[in-house]
Amino acid sequence: QRLAAASVVTLVLEGGPTLHAAAWEAGLVDCVHLYAAPISLGEEGVPWLPADVLSGLVACRVQALGPDTFTEGHVHRAD
């Protein structure tokens, strides 16, 4: 509410899985930008969000960035 009062309409969350999950669970996310590299961190890697999150995005755009991939999608929530 404070950000809206200050006319902030876009906010980028850079952080880890705890911040991202909290924003997702609070219903604050309306667009996802995901950069993925073709490497595996193995079992020691930190999970991000459940895989079904990406399947719930609409108007997705996927773009190759060299060996990496950029995915952008808008969140569709049933109200």
Side-chain angles (χ1 to χ4, degrees), residues 27-48:
L28 300 174
V29 178
D30 60 2
C31 185
V32 172
H33 287 186
L34 176 65
Y35 294 87
I39 60 170
S40 173
L41 298 177
E43 292 182 19
E44 298 298 318
V46 177
W48 177 60

Side-chain angles (χ1 to χ4, degrees), residues 50-78:
D52 63 343
V53 166
L54 294 180
S55 67
L57 300 179
V58 295
C60 280
R61 176 174 68 100
V62 178
Q63 179 179 349
L65 300 172
D68 301 338
T69 304
F70 167 70
T71 303
E72 174 185 43
H74 297 275
V75 177
H76 174 72
R77 297 183 192 274

Side-chain angles (χ1 to χ4, degrees), residues 4-43:
S7 299
V8 174
V9 295
T10 300
L11 180 68
V12 176
L13 292 178
E14 291 189 67
T18 302
L19 175 65
H20 293 161
W24 185 267
E25 290 170 13
L28 300 174
V29 178
D30 60 2
C31 185
V32 172
H33 287 186
L34 176 65
Y35 294 87
I39 60 170
S40 173
L41 298 177
E43 292 182 19

